[in-house]
Amino acid sequence: MDIKEVPQNIGFVGAGNMAQAIIGGLLDAGYPPERLCAADPSPAALAQLRAVGIEAVAEIPSSAFNAADLIILAVKPQFMASATALLRERLDPNCVVMSVAAGISTHSLKTLLGHPALPVVRCMPNTPALVRAGASGLFASPEVSEAQRRGAEAVMRVVGSARWLATESHIDVVTAVSGSGPAYFFAFMEAMIAAGERLGLDAVTARELTLQTALGAATLAAKSDESVATLRKNVTSPGGTTERALTSFEESNLSALVDRGMQACLDRAREMAEEFG
Ligand SMILES: NC(=O)c1ccc[n+]([C@@H]2O[C@H](COP(=O)([O-])OP(=O)(O)OC[C@H]3O[C@@H](n4cnc5c(N)ncnc54)[C@H](OP(=O)(O)O)[C@@H]3O)[C@@H](O)[C@H]2O)c1
């Protein structure tokens, strides 16, 4: 990630988990705190931000947001209407607005903010952003310039990887893959830890071996030029122990189970898009 690509001044509306993850990533990368500002009703969040030199306000409109060339909307979808109602009065239509909220379209964001030609980016991050290992999908409205795209991408790259999407509807697919994906892996790890314990390991050993295996497998896959299918075949000797476990998974139709779960996630993302516009 090139910190020089990050916009000059960034304002956050909502300073909860996701905003704090991005802010933490920016500060760790050497971004000056005086170029950040944030609005959030929570006194605890404001105190935390002020402690590291960030101008933090309880409510917009605030002059703190005047200089922002990127505004990141990081509130829950149900609070987006009230958050944007306040921002709308002060918004410079030349700045880019990036929303990390699920279900709220670029069209709705432009309508809520009162500028039909506003450059808007939608971003679907995930919780590993908290440890700079996130994965984000990004979609830009046609008004977003090349430089503004690079700026938005550079911000998300401070907390992990980022991929541009050609179609806005793919944001919902990203929700099904990486947005909700950490929970799928947590569920799989939970099941492995429970099975390890049932088979006789103590809880600490079962947890440590499971987590290190997940980390090791992901690191190996990320560093390898081979497909994950090849990596799987490489560790599956014919007639061996791994093959026996994988055969059992497939008898229970693991791939179909995952496919159905991700389809259910996508359906819910689309329902939420209907709910929130
Ligand atoms: N966390 C994730 O993994 C993740 C992944 C993908 C997308 N997202 C999206 O990211 C967004 C933020 O999620 P989060 O987990 O960071 O939520 P969060 O921790 O609840 O943070 C949202 C913050 O916004 C504040 N807020 C509410 N109304 C506001 C307003 N009008 N103006 C300014 N701030 C306001 C909230 O204050 P109060 O607590 O006082 O209400 C809270 O501090 C959500 O839309 C979520 O869907 C999150």
Side-chain angles (χ1 to χ4, degrees):
M1 195 280 308
D2 187 354
I3 191 78
K4 290 195 291 297
E5 297 275 12
V6 175
Q8 281 295 308
N9 292 283
I10 306 174
F12 288 83
V13 177
N17 295 316
M18 193 44 69
Q20 298 269 2
I22 299 170
I23 290 169
L26 286 167
L27 296 180
D28 279 359
Y31 193 85
E34 60 276 12
R35 292 214 247 126
L36 297 172
C37 66
D40 194 289
S42 151
L46 297 181
Q48 215 175 326
L49 294 166
R50 287 175 186 149
V52 291
I54 294 171
E55 183 161 5
V57 293
E59 211 178 66
I60 311 165
S62 155
S63 56
F65 279 73
N66 285 357
D69 35 25
L70 171 68
I71 292 180
I72 300 180
L73 302 175
V75 297
K76 298 277 188 211
Q78 58 270 33
F79 297 126
M80 193 58 87
S82 55
T84 47
L86 294 170
L87 182 62
R88 178 185 173 122
E89 295 167 28
R90 215 168 241 285
L91 190 67
D92 172 356
N94 294 315
C95 81
V96 193
V97 172
M98 177 161 77
S99 161
V100 297
I104 303 179
S105 68
T106 52
H107 176 75
S108 299
L109 289 163
K110 290 175 188 181
T111 306
L112 287 167
L113 290 163
H115 293 283
L118 188 73
V120 175
V121 173
R122 278 185 70 189
C123 170
M124 177 49 60
N126 66 5
T127 44
L130 288 164
V131 291
R132 322 281 184 262
S136 299
L138 296 162
F139 172 78
S141 74
E143 297 83 4
V144 179
S145 70
E146 200 43 51
Q148 289 172 327
R149 278 170 79 102
R150 285 201 302 275
E153 180 180 334
V155 170
M156 294 320 295
R157 283 198 180 277
V158 300
V159 289
S161 71
R163 301 279 306 177
W164 284 102
L165 309 168
T167 311
E168 182 161 4
S169 62
H170 284 173
I171 282 279
D172 293 335
V173 182
V174 170
T175 304
V177 176
S178 51
S180 300
Y184 314 156
F185 286 101
F186 294 144
F188 200 84
M189 287 190 271
E190 254 182 286
M192 279 182 66
I193 293 167
E197 285 185 59
R198 184 186 64 76
L199 295 170
L201 295 180
D202 65 79
V204 176
T205 306
R207 182 180 192 276
E208 184 177 322
L209 293 179
T210 300
L211 265 59
Q212 184 56 34
T213 301
L215 186 64
T219 307
L220 181 61
K223 290 193 171 171
S224 172
D225 294 330
E226 305 283 9
S227 68
V228 287
T230 302
L231 292 173
R232 173 182 53 75
K233 284 181 199 136
N234 290 350
V235 293
T236 311
S237 317
T241 53
T242 309
E243 186 186 64
R244 187 72 69 89
L246 292 177
T247 302
S248 168
F249 287 155
E250 272 323 308
E251 278 165 8
S252 303
N253 230 336
L254 179 68
S255 320
L257 217 68
V258 171
D259 190 71
R260 273 206 303 281
M262 287 175 64
Q263 182 65 53
C265 182
L266 176 62
D267 294 346
R268 180 62 189 136
R270 287 179 176 156
E271 270 170 33
M272 285 171 70
E274 299 261 307
E275 262 169 61
F276 298 114

